[in-house]
Amino acid sequence: MTNTDFSPEVLDVANLPAAAIASRLADIRTGDAVEIVNELDADDAIAVIGQLSHDDAVRLLDQPELEHAAEIITTLSPDLACKLLDGMSADRATDVFQEMDDEQRAYLFPLLAPETRTALKKLMDYPPNTAGSLMTIEFIAVPSNWNVGQTLEHIRKVERTRETVYAIYVLDPKTRVLLGVVSLRRLIIREPSEPILSIARDDEPITISAQTSREDVARLFRKHDLLAVPVVDSNRHLIGIVTVDDVLDAMTEEASEDAYRFGGMEALDKPYMRIGFGEMIRKRAGWLGILFLGEMLTASAMQHFELQLEKALVLTLFIPLIMSSGGNSGSQATSLIIRALALQEVKLRDWWRVALREVPSGLVLGSFLGLIGVIRIFAWQVLGIYDYGEHWVLVAATIGMALVCIVTFGSVTGSMLPFILQRLGFDPASASAPFVATLVDVTGLVIYFSVAMLILSGTLL
């Protein structure tokens, strides 16, 4: 029975022996217990798991949020490690097994129960980020010639070993083809003598293939409010199911990876406070170096216009303003398009429609910022806050026109980069905000000084 008096905030396990911690973990909610184990170092976590009962250990190891799961299992005795893997859900056991190195897998695999080996072989063949890699083969399926009573009795016998009992899949008894899906709610309110197939939903079951991307799976769950979806092969044989908790875990992981990419760094595979200093530097240095090399082109651009800068030093005052405006507009456009692509609101073929929208959007936004810039120069000049020289009107016109051009360029570039990356087979999220900002910074300077030479030629230049 779960004791609700304990929580991670009040359960202090510091300096307690492993047996005492294990005793307390057995009485609290699984999610809270996982958080507590994650706070322990690897050696203490291993000792605590080793002190838990088989059911409690499996309960914790079955949670994707538990850290060091593979390390914990491989450090235990082979007999105990195999018993725990045999007791875990097939999809979770597969995830943990894949985290082990080749030598550990080769050693443990022959010691596992036959059904576990079969499940691992089947699930490990599917590529990452597909429905096959998310699915479990622990579902409830019954032949179409059963009745409601037989089905309920079957559920009572197997429910502890199944991922979910909220959907019952009805199969042809000879071909094992999926014929229908029965919800648990509908099952329990019908008469025991009724044929199971007669109470299945009238519409065709929603199915996916093992190769369906996890993004498409998530969209399907969102569109139809599903708790689980069957995975079928080309002949409509049921090979597994994907449950909503697996989809949530996968999408949370992907959202985290995208957030890191937007920040211009590699994804972290551990919580921030647990990642080593060296690994943190390695994760951040690569992208930071690439962005730095890109920004070096900014210096090259300024060197190219060195003569113009010497003649009109006033132009240097607005370089940060110009660069940040272009980068900000590009980052906005990139964020919008990446989200639209992820939700399939736009497709790769829609790039030209997006460009046609972003050009006028950029012109309007650039005009808005340009007007603010002109008003600012006018106000500072008239109020005597700063003297921009005798050609201050032309300077204001230069800033206004440059902002229109740069913001428009930033909007179009930022919106097109995700399409280009997707067309090349890369993740559109790689068009991170720092990358877009760096690109627009360099080109923005060229646009800025080109506009300045056009407007100020014969006066300041």
Side-chain angles (χ1 to χ4, degrees):
M1 183 174 66
T2 299
N3 186 339
T4 58
D5 293 335
F6 291 115
S7 70
E9 291 77 12
V10 299
L11 182 52
D12 183 11
V13 297
N15 302 317
L16 287 178
I21 298 174
S23 176
R24 296 195 180 191
L25 293 183
D27 295 326
I28 66 175
R29 294 185 180 93
T30 303
D32 294 339
V34 167
E35 289 186 5
I36 292 169
V37 174
N38 285 342
E39 289 298 318
L40 304 173
D41 60 37
D43 291 338
D44 290 339
I46 292 166
V48 168
I49 295 295
Q51 292 288 332
L52 289 171
S53 68
H54 176 269
D55 288 347
D56 286 331
V58 168
R59 177 170 62 97
L60 294 189
L61 290 167
D62 243 343
Q63 305 305 307
E65 295 78 16
L66 182 70
E67 301 166 19
H68 313 300
E71 182 180 353
I72 289 171
I73 288 180
T74 54
T75 308
L76 298 171
S77 68
D79 181 60
L80 178 57
C82 290
K83 286 182 179 178
L84 293 176
L85 284 169
D86 289 336
M88 293 166 60
S89 60
D91 53 341
R92 176 59 178 158
T94 303
D95 292 338
V96 173
F97 206 68
Q98 287 178 320
E99 292 174 12
M100 302 176 187
D101 60 40
D102 293 339
E103 184 178 347
Q104 292 168 337
R105 286 199 292 265
Y107 178 70
L108 288 177
F109 189 79
L111 305 178
L112 295 170
E115 57 269 22
T116 304
R117 293 201 301 269
T118 301
L120 291 177
K121 281 183 179 179
K122 185 175 183 179
L123 296 178
M124 289 178 68
D125 286 339
Y126 296 107
N129 304 326
T130 62
S133 68
L134 295 178
M135 76 178 185
T136 180
I137 57 175
E138 296 164 335
F139 52 86
I140 294 180
V142 298
S144 58
N145 54 8
W146 278 20
N147 59 31
V148 171
Q150 290 173 297
T151 302
L152 287 172
E153 182 61 28
H154 177 67
I155 293 174
R156 294 188 187 100
K157 292 178 180 178
V158 303
E159 63 87 15
R160 287 178 60 83
T161 61
R162 297 300 185 263
E163 181 94 0
T164 178
V165 298
Y166 297 115
I168 296 88
Y169 302 96
V170 183
L171 311 180
D172 185 287
K174 294 182 179 180
T175 64
R176 305 291 291 175
V177 168
L178 179 64
L179 299 178
V181 180
V182 177
S183 68
L184 182 62
R185 174 185 294 181
R186 180 173 291 193
L187 184 69
I188 62 178
I189 64 174
R190 305 303 283 262
E191 293 299 324
S193 59
E194 289 187 71
I196 187 65
L197 190 58
S198 69
I199 65 170
R201 292 176 60 94
D202 295 331
D203 51 352
E204 186 76 11
I206 298 170
T207 62
I208 56 176
S209 73
Q211 285 69 42
T212 304
S213 71
R214 66 183 184 182
E215 292 84 1
D216 289 339
V217 175
R219 278 190 285 271
L220 199 64
F221 271 79
R222 179 171 175 265
K223 180 179 180 180
H224 298 288
D225 286 332
L226 300 173
L227 291 176
V229 63
V231 183
V232 298
D233 61 17
S234 57
N235 296 316
R236 289 190 60 79
H237 296 132
L238 183 61
I239 59 176
I241 64 170
V242 176
T243 57
V244 66
D245 58 321
D246 294 326
V247 172
L248 287 174
D249 290 337
M251 299 319 296
T252 299
E253 178 184 348
E254 182 165 346
S256 297
E257 292 174 356
D258 289 347
Y260 287 126
R261 292 192 186 101
F262 264 79
M265 64 175 291
E266 293 182 42
L268 301 180
D269 51 8
K270 300 176 184 176
Y272 175 82
M273 295 303 294
R274 287 185 171 270
I275 193 168
F277 180 76
E279 188 175 0
M280 176 69 78
I281 296 300
R282 182 179 62 81
K283 293 284 188 180
R284 298 171 65 174
W287 264 104
L288 203 58
I290 293 172
L291 294 173
F292 179 74
L293 291 174
E295 289 290 1
M296 288 176 66
L297 296 175
T298 303
S300 300
M302 293 185 69
Q303 290 170 5
H304 180 75
F305 294 101
E306 183 179 3
L307 182 61
Q308 286 75 21
L309 282 172
E310 290 177 355
K311 291 181 179 179
L313 283 175
V314 68
L315 294 179
T316 62
L317 301 176
F318 299 97
I319 288 177
L321 171 73
I322 295 296
M323 293 172 64
S324 63
S325 298
N328 291 340
S329 66
S331 297
Q332 278 187 341
T334 296
S335 301
L336 287 170
I337 301 307
I338 287 175
R339 182 183 182 278
L341 284 170
L343 297 178
Q344 291 194 337
E345 296 172 350
V346 297
K347 303 295 177 76
L348 193 59
R349 63 177 179 270
D350 295 323
W351 67 269
W352 63 273
R353 295 173 59 193
V354 172
L356 290 178
R357 286 174 61 90
E358 286 300 319
V359 169
S361 296
L363 289 171
V364 172
L365 293 171
S367 300
F368 172 67
L369 296 182
L371 179 61
I372 295 176
V374 169
I375 292 174
R376 192 266 191 191
I377 294 173
F378 180 82
W380 260 239
Q381 184 72 30
V382 172
L383 296 174
I385 298 175
Y386 189 87
D387 184 10
Y388 293 103
E390 60 177 315
H391 301 294
W392 66 272
V393 174
L394 293 179
V395 172
T398 298
I399 300 305
M401 181 59 67
L403 281 169
V404 172
C405 296
I406 290 169
V407 171
T408 302
F409 176 81
S411 296
V412 174
T413 302
S415 64
M416 291 296 103
L417 269 176
F419 287 107
I420 295 172
L421 289 172
Q422 188 175 70
R423 183 66 181 85
L424 295 175
F426 296 106
D427 187 345
S430 298
S432 60
F435 181 70
V436 173
T438 300
L439 177 62
V440 176
D441 283 351
V442 178
T443 52
L445 279 175
V446 176
I447 294 173
Y448 177 38
F449 286 109
S450 299
V451 171
M453 292 174 66
L454 179 65
I455 296 177
L456 299 176
S457 180
T459 54
L460 289 178
L461 300 178

